[in-house]
Amino acid sequence: MSEFWVFFQIGLYHVLDLHGYDHVLFLIVLTAPYTAQHWKKLLTLVSLFTLGHTISLLLAVFDLLIIKSSIIEVLILATILLTGLFNLINQGKNTKNKQDIFIWISTLFFGLIHGFGFSTYFKGILSGEAIDKLPKLLEFALGIEAAQIIVVVTVLILAFIMQTLLKFNKRDFTLTLSSFVMGVTVALLLEKFY
């Protein structure tokens, strides 16, 4: 049981680490257009992201697919920018079915990309045969899922405060938060190239 908590905590801190906040930025921009009423959809999105993240770690642990970290770092930032841009373009439009399918597929794909960003470190902390690493990977994934739910709930609480108590309308909240995250992401991208 203590080993479970070790890998669960590694997953938890992987997302909540303040030095590697790209994961949190993605979750913020993913959650921005939603309210607490959409909790089922948000839970689905978080789980799809975790699934993608876990699949890429599986591929890396079994040496089936390895991608250069320099490429992945840029792709991670691109996923954040694309999600923010999607929020800006689609805010207020009523094309829910098309948006849902796009968001579900892109969230799964973005989870794959983010997982490859952590795969080298994750492979380094595991020992034994690849098949022995599966329970540890599951424990890690549960930690990722729990941390993502913490971030989503935090964003929903912030949205509630801004929209209910401070009378910020939902559209402006989504646009402001998405734009802020995109600005931070552009700064991180510029850092990579300069």
Side-chain angles (χ1 to χ4, degrees), residues 67-135:
I67 302 175
K68 288 175 64 173
S69 62
S70 58
I71 294 170
I72 290 298
E73 288 173 11
V74 172
L75 287 175
I76 287 171
L77 295 174
T79 65
I80 300 166
L81 279 176
L82 288 172
T83 306
L85 188 61
F86 183 81
N87 289 350
L88 296 182
I89 292 170
N90 290 295
Q91 189 54 40
K93 292 184 180 173
N94 194 10
T95 56
K96 291 295 180 203
N97 289 337
K98 290 179 185 175
Q99 283 183 355
D100 286 349
I101 292 167
F102 174 80
I103 288 291
W104 292 337
I105 291 169
S106 60
T107 300
L108 178 65
F109 179 70
F110 293 170
L112 284 166
I113 292 170
H114 283 245
F116 281 117
F118 192 68
S119 62
T120 303
Y121 173 78
F122 190 72
K123 280 177 65 175
I125 62 173
L126 295 177
S127 58
E129 297 294 318
I131 199 73
D132 299 328
K133 298 175 183 179
L134 289 177

Side-chain angles (χ1 to χ4, degrees), residues 1-15:
M1 192 61 158
S2 64
E3 189 172 281
F4 169 83
W5 286 113
V6 168
F7 285 95
F8 181 87
Q9 286 179 344
I10 291 170
L12 196 69
Y13 295 129
H14 166 60
V15 174

Side-chain angles (χ1 to χ4, degrees), residues 34-45:
Y34 301 104
T35 63
Q37 294 172 332
H38 302 104
W39 68 270
K40 288 180 185 175
K41 184 182 287 187
L42 283 167
L43 187 59
T44 301
L45 290 171

Side-chain angles (χ1 to χ4, degrees), residues 19-21 25 70 73-74 77 183-194:
H19 299 292
Y21 49 88
L25 288 174
S70 58
E73 288 173 11
V74 172
L77 295 174
V184 171
T185 306
V186 166
L188 291 171
L189 263 174
L190 291 174
E191 239 177 60
K192 296 253 180 248
F193 292 109
Y194 296 105

